[in-house]
Amino acid sequence: MMSSGPHHQIPVTHAQMIRDQAHAAKMLESAKRRSRQPTDKNLPDGVDDYIVGDVGQRYRELRDFERRLDATMTRKRLDIVDAVTRSAKRWKTLRIWITNTVQDQVWQGNGLNVDTFDFNSNLEPTYTVKIEARLLDDDSDLDNDEDHETTKAGSDDADRMDEDGPADPESKPTKPPRYRFSHFFKALHVDFPPNRRGIEQSVEWKKPERVGGSPNLPAAGDFDELTFKRHGDENLNIIINLIRHEEPGRYAISPALQDIIDMREATRQEIVMGVWEYIKMMGLSEEDERRTFRCDGLLRTAFGIEIGEMPKLTDYISPHLQPLPPVQLPYTIRLDEQFHKDPQPTVYDIRVAVDDPLREKISTFLNNPGYAGMLKEVATLDEQLAVIIQAIHVSKAKHGFLKSLSEDPATFVRDWLSSQKRDLEVILGEAVRGGGEDATGDEWRKGGKDSVWGTVNARESVNALLSRMPSQPQPR
């Protein structure tokens, strides 16, 4: 059993210390090497006079094009990231077919056969209800108005359920649907009318939770059709209730809040944004404190306050949100012989929210493994370009040095020696104010941050001079 007191650290061995020191030295040397790498990719001034043709101008045009291209690509990438992180949804149509079959009904002639002495009790009349759904790929296939959330459609050839049988050899293979019926709902229950026998009939289904954080649902929660079987020999009117499963969840909005944001149902984020836009449009924000806002008549009626705070908008709207009511699909279970001579399904169209199909493609673009490799390649080319530009700067300086020397050697050598002497005095801290050939210029008399005295060489020289001065004894 381990003690609860402090644990002693294992002492570091000599080999580990040497290895850590070597690693730290390597990292320091790598940092120094990176700091010495050239980064300037601009051509030196006046280099066009020594270049044949318009190479310099073309290089500057390419550099300008590269800057604009980098800015455009960065902006577009940020837009893509924003589009991926934003919960963009598209509305599509889920078509639901409901039908029922019957077994062992009286009109089917399944009475007792006295010759076989079959007195099996399984001949009790039963029926089977089948609920099937499919997400329509194109809304142009709809035969009904898109403004209705749930519309009961008539039966025609396009609305018939898929039947078992030989496949049409000329039909094109269909792409399997990405979304299934159970993906859009988290629960289902069927309301039956009171039974004369007093037997309670109920049908309930709840979506199971994902196991172990798996992205896929269990088999009980991943289906396109649901069937249930019950006993009965009379027509029944039932109501199928579907409880939506949406992420992020949408809520029904109270009438007081509807007057402000002009929406009947929305997500919490959309509601907060709608209230914020209303405050901004009506100019209700306080000029001195933007975190607070004044309430007009509508806001006062909804929130019951005179002055509100922006960070508390979520708390203000919470009492006005209610869960969406279930989608109710009435259906009549037909058990009579006349209906089953040519049974037709009852069809409903429900508007459901799905992820934007471009979101997956955009995510693939952002997670492209070749992008990181491309960035490394571009960084390598930039380093090579900076080395070449540095060589051009050095060549330009050498050319200017030799050209000045060739035009007036005596004057150039005298000025160059004087400059070197002055630099050496500054480096050694031996230069004094007012001394030297050029020490009486205006730049030496001018102080401030941008003066000569604010340079690194001047600071180092002053520090060296002060370090060489003898220390004064402190008075007792």
Side-chain angles (χ1 to χ4, degrees):
M1 184 176 182
M2 297 182 62
S3 62
S4 59
H7 299 281
H8 298 285
Q9 295 183 353
I10 300 176
V12 181
T13 62
H14 183 66
Q16 291 177 342
M17 293 178 59
I18 295 177
R19 185 166 57 251
D20 294 342
Q21 291 175 359
H23 179 70
K26 183 179 179 181
M27 296 297 295
L28 180 60
E29 182 63 25
S30 177
K32 289 181 178 179
R33 188 165 55 252
R34 288 194 302 269
S35 64
R36 290 194 296 267
Q37 287 180 349
T39 58
D40 186 14
K41 296 189 286 291
N42 295 318
L43 290 175
D45 297 334
V47 74
D48 293 337
D49 299 335
Y50 311 108
I51 298 178
V52 179
D54 57 348
V55 178
Q57 181 62 27
R58 288 181 177 272
Y59 174 80
R60 294 186 184 90
E61 292 176 355
L62 286 175
R63 286 279 297 153
D64 181 66
F65 177 77
E66 181 188 21
R67 282 191 292 268
R68 289 186 281 111
L69 180 61
D70 288 344
T72 303
M73 293 179 63
T74 302
R75 185 176 66 254
K76 292 296 183 182
R77 190 170 183 84
L78 291 176
D79 292 342
I80 292 174
V81 172
D82 180 67
V84 171
T85 55
R86 191 173 58 247
S87 59
K89 299 289 185 179
R90 272 186 67 185
W91 289 100
K92 301 194 74 173
T93 301
L94 182 70
R95 179 158 292 180
I96 299 178
W97 293 269
I98 308 175
T99 188
N100 71 277
T101 57
V102 295
Q103 301 86 28
D104 301 326
Q105 297 292 327
V106 176
W107 55 266
Q108 289 179 313
N110 291 332
L112 295 177
N113 190 342
V114 295
D115 297 332
T116 60
F117 298 97
D118 186 4
F119 298 98
N120 194 344
S121 60
N122 290 334
L123 296 179
E124 185 176 356
T126 59
Y127 60 86
T128 302
V129 177
K130 180 178 180 181
I131 308 171
E132 184 179 1
R134 178 172 60 88
L135 190 67
L136 299 183
D137 294 333
D138 190 358
D139 288 348
S140 61
D141 296 337
L142 297 177
D143 299 324
N144 305 301
D145 188 4
E146 295 184 354
D147 294 338
H148 296 84
E149 177 163 343
T150 57
T151 55
K152 186 174 179 180
S155 59
D156 52 19
D157 294 340
D159 292 339
R160 286 186 177 274
M161 297 177 60
D162 297 335
E163 299 179 357
D164 296 335
D168 187 0
E170 298 182 357
S171 62
K172 297 181 180 180
T174 59
K175 185 178 180 180
R178 178 184 175 188
Y179 296 96
R180 310 191 74 178
F181 175 38
S182 59
H183 294 177
F184 300 102
F185 306 99
K186 58 184 177 182
L188 177 149
H189 62 89
V190 181
D191 296 335
F192 287 86
N195 194 301
R196 291 183 304 177
R197 302 179 182 178
I199 302 175
E200 182 179 356
Q201 303 187 45
S202 63
V203 175
E204 291 188 6
W205 168 83
K206 291 185 179 180
K207 180 180 292 185
E209 299 292 337
R210 290 181 171 88
V211 180
S214 174
N216 299 324
L217 288 169
D222 190 18
F223 56 84
D224 280 326
E225 66 179 50
L226 180 122
T227 60
F228 61 89
K229 186 175 182 179
R230 293 292 185 271
H231 297 284
D233 55 2
E234 295 180 352
N235 296 343
L236 297 175
N237 293 321
I238 63 174
I239 296 179
I240 302 172
N241 300 276
L242 303 174
I243 291 84
R244 296 178 182 269
H245 181 199
E246 297 178 339
E247 295 180 356
R250 291 188 302 134
Y251 299 90
I253 305 172
S254 66
L257 196 55
Q258 289 182 24
D259 296 338
I260 298 174
I261 62 177
D262 195 21
M263 288 188 289
R264 299 181 58 186
E265 55 186 44
T267 64
R268 190 179 295 270
Q269 181 181 3
E270 292 172 346
I271 297 170
V272 172
M273 184 60 65
V275 175
W276 181 82
E277 290 178 352
Y278 176 82
I279 294 172
K280 182 180 178 181
M281 180 184 65
M282 302 302 293
L284 300 176
S285 297
E286 295 287 352
E287 297 181 358
D288 298 336
E289 179 58 51
R290 292 291 180 179
R291 292 166 57 88
T292 61
F293 60 91
R294 303 182 307 276
C295 292
D296 61 358
L298 294 178
L299 291 175
R300 194 179 301 111
T301 302
F303 301 150
I305 56 177
E306 294 292 338
I307 300 295
E309 299 180 14
M310 289 292 186
K312 295 183 179 180
L313 278 181
T314 304
D315 299 333
Y316 297 154
I317 67 174
S318 294
H320 298 271
L321 306 184
Q322 297 293 333
L324 287 177
V327 179
Q328 294 187 335
L329 307 179
Y331 178 70
T332 300
I333 301 176
R334 298 289 300 273
L335 307 180
D336 55 282
E337 180 181 5
Q338 184 66 27
F339 173 79
H340 287 278
K341 290 181 179 179
D342 185 20
Q344 300 294 336
T346 301
V347 183
Y348 290 92
D349 287 335
I350 301 177
R351 304 295 283 176
V352 293
V354 299
D355 291 333
D356 194 333
L358 295 178
R359 186 175 184 178
E360 183 178 358
K361 297 181 180 179
I362 293 176
S363 300
T364 305
F365 171 77
L366 292 179
N367 300 327
N368 186 7
Y371 180 73
M374 183 266 293
L375 290 181
K376 292 182 179 179
E377 183 180 357
V378 171
T380 303
L381 294 176
D382 282 342
E383 293 176 359
Q384 296 175 0
L385 178 61
V387 171
I388 295 174
I389 295 300
Q390 185 188 43
I392 294 176
H393 278 272
V394 173
S395 299
K396 170 70 167 48
K398 290 181 179 179
H399 183 276
F401 180 88
L402 297 175
K403 181 180 179 182
S404 300
L405 179 61
S406 64
E407 292 177 351
D408 190 356
T411 304
F412 176 80
V413 171
R414 185 176 63 253
D415 294 342
W416 181 71
L417 290 176
S418 176
S419 174
Q420 293 297 310
K421 176 185 176 182
R422 182 63 184 173
D423 291 343
L424 184 59
E425 291 176 352
V426 171
I427 292 174
L428 296 178
E430 298 176 353
V432 294
R433 186 170 183 179
E437 295 85 357
D438 299 325
T440 58
D442 294 338
E443 65 274 9
W444 292 98
R445 291 194 295 267
K446 184 178 67 172
K449 181 180 178 181
D450 299 331
S451 66
V452 176
W453 301 103
T455 60
V456 177
N457 289 337
R459 290 198 300 270
E460 292 180 352
S461 300
V462 171
N463 292 334
L465 179 61
L466 294 176
S467 64
R468 293 168 54 184
M469 296 177 61
S471 59
Q472 300 293 333
Q474 296 293 335
R476 294 182 178 179

